[in-house]
Amino acid sequence: MSQRLITHLRHVDLAVPDFDRQVAFFTGTWGLTEVATDTGVAFLAAAGSPEQYAVRVRRAADKRLDLIAFGAASPADVDVLAERLGRDGVRLVGEPGPLSTPGGGYGFRFFDVDGRTVEVSADVRPRAHRRIEARESVPVRLSHVVVNSPDPQATAAFYTRHLGFALSDRLSHPHRGDLMWFLRCNSWHHSLAVSRGPHVALHHASFELRGLDEFMRGCGRMIRAGVEKVWGPGRHTAGDNTFSYFRDPHGNVVEYTTELEELDEDRWHPHVYDSSDPHVSDQWGTANPMSELVGRQTFNDPDRGLFTAPPL
């Protein structure tokens, strides 16, 4: 495994045909704040996070996952990572350089083994943020992103080999084999996970809330607003985090979560959890059972943006 140069998850970028409806959902219902906008592009921040934005929404003819962005500690680390990836034959979108997105910074983009675009940056100016108060059910930060891959073992291996991610845990099924790999780039149990799916797509993007009360209030607000609930509320075993999954206006799954486990990395050993055990999916037993219908909704539509970098 290469030396870890990735420090944390920054943002997830989505392209959608109905731009206004998507922005209205994330700001008016989900609880993000629009901090910058351009023609057909909106940057949406989580109130408790110093990241300039958690989600970028772009108007496009086709729905797609534009990119997943991660942070690095310094421009020198960005350069080292770009050089390593290029030397290993990973296809770069461009050489490292100044970024024109909110907060500036220095970074570059590349394609992972499945063809999705990944960005790594450093020296992005922190955004003024605030403490989330008790009973305030808005996202504190972007917690993690999960992607689908028809060859998830190869995808997980790409991130561990080339980007220094570490395996935290794995889900397996007695008849279907390995299903999900939870990968970390810091002490959080996972910032990225890779799920077995029929095609390359976004599985879900997850947003951390302040605590259990705020999590439940957020779930209730979604239900009262008529947002389609896919699964939850419950509590996973892998990561020990709460979950409730909803569908955005374009069918992407988004999650409210809280209390994601922080690991002692020097002592941690990955588990293999049996996903057929209901306690593994939901310790509490409060969520609707995991079913083929739930699984199909997290498959999402095939990503139309593979090996095609989005506009800056």
Side-chain angles (χ1 to χ4, degrees):
M1 183 179 72
S2 60
Q3 177 188 354
R4 185 183 296 169
L5 297 176
I6 302 294
T7 56
H8 65 289
L9 176 66
R10 285 198 188 279
H11 52 87
V12 60
D13 296 12
L14 305 173
V16 295
D18 194 338
F19 173 80
D20 293 336
R21 188 180 178 202
Q22 188 80 352
V23 172
F25 167 80
F26 274 123
T27 57
T29 309
W30 196 249
L32 300 179
T33 301
E34 185 173 296
V35 293
T37 188
D38 201 344
T39 305
V41 179
F43 300 89
L44 313 177
S49 172
E51 292 297 325
Q52 287 286 333
Y53 54 100
V55 177
R56 187 186 83 158
V57 179
R58 179 176 65 88
R59 179 183 285 114
D62 294 318
K63 166 187 166 183
R64 59 171 280 182
L65 170 64
D66 266 349
L67 63 82
I68 304 171
F70 297 98
S74 69
D77 284 352
V78 170
D79 287 336
V80 168
L81 184 57
E83 191 277 329
R84 279 186 188 169
L85 293 176
R87 186 179 62 221
D88 289 344
V90 175
R91 184 176 161 191
L92 305 186
V93 175
E95 295 299 319
L99 301 180
S100 59
T101 43
Y106 179 83
F108 74 107
R109 296 176 177 181
F110 60 92
F111 298 117
D112 74 6
V113 67
D114 288 325
R116 64 181 64 81
T117 306
V118 179
E119 180 181 278
V120 177
S121 62
D123 276 5
V124 177
R125 185 174 64 255
R127 188 183 71 89
H129 58 291
R130 63 180 178 83
R131 174 188 173 90
I132 304 301
E133 301 298 332
R135 300 189 176 189
E136 190 179 5
S137 56
V138 299
V140 175
R141 67 182 183 96
L142 178 65
S143 172
H144 57 270
V145 174
V146 180
V147 296
N148 290 315
S149 173
D151 190 353
Q153 189 167 6
T155 305
F158 176 92
Y159 281 88
T160 55
R161 175 189 172 191
H162 295 294
L163 300 179
F165 279 72
L167 176 68
S168 294
D169 287 317
R170 185 160 40 93
L171 294 184
S172 191
H173 188 278
H175 305 300
R176 298 165 59 199
D178 293 336
L179 298 179
M180 187 171 287
W181 287 251
F182 296 91
L183 306 176
R184 68 182 186 275
C185 59
N186 49 41
S187 62
W188 293 109
H189 180 271
H190 57 287
S191 295
L192 178 71
V194 183
S195 180
R196 184 178 300 279
H199 45 254
V200 177
L202 175 67
H203 184 286
H204 73 268
S206 179
F207 298 79
E208 177 86 14
L209 274 74
R210 182 182 188 269
L212 287 175
D213 184 71
E214 291 76 22
F215 165 77
M216 290 303 296
R217 288 173 183 273
C219 294
R221 188 176 69 254
M222 294 302 109
I223 293 168
R224 287 171 174 166
V227 178
E228 181 183 355
K229 181 171 69 68
V230 176
W231 191 31
R235 188 170 201 128
H236 294 312
T237 293
D240 198 34
N241 56 304
T242 66
F243 68 90
S244 201
Y245 297 84
F246 299 90
R247 280 163 60 96
D248 76 10
H250 287 84
N252 298 304
V253 175
V254 287
E255 177 189 32
Y256 276 160
T257 191
T258 197
E259 297 188 350
L260 180 66
E261 188 171 9
E262 287 196 75
L263 309 181
D264 180 345
E265 294 197 83
D266 293 331
R267 295 174 177 269
W268 186 259
H269 296 282
H271 305 80
V272 179
Y273 290 112
D274 181 355
S275 66
S276 67
D277 179 355
H279 186 269
V280 168
S281 296
D282 178 19
Q283 298 179 53
W284 291 341
T286 53
N288 46 313
M290 170 52 72
S291 65
E292 289 188 12
L293 176 61
V294 171
R296 284 199 300 271
Q297 292 187 84
T298 59
F299 288 160
N300 210 334
D301 302 314
D303 199 313
R304 296 177 177 271
L306 303 182
F307 293 108
T308 306
L312 293 175

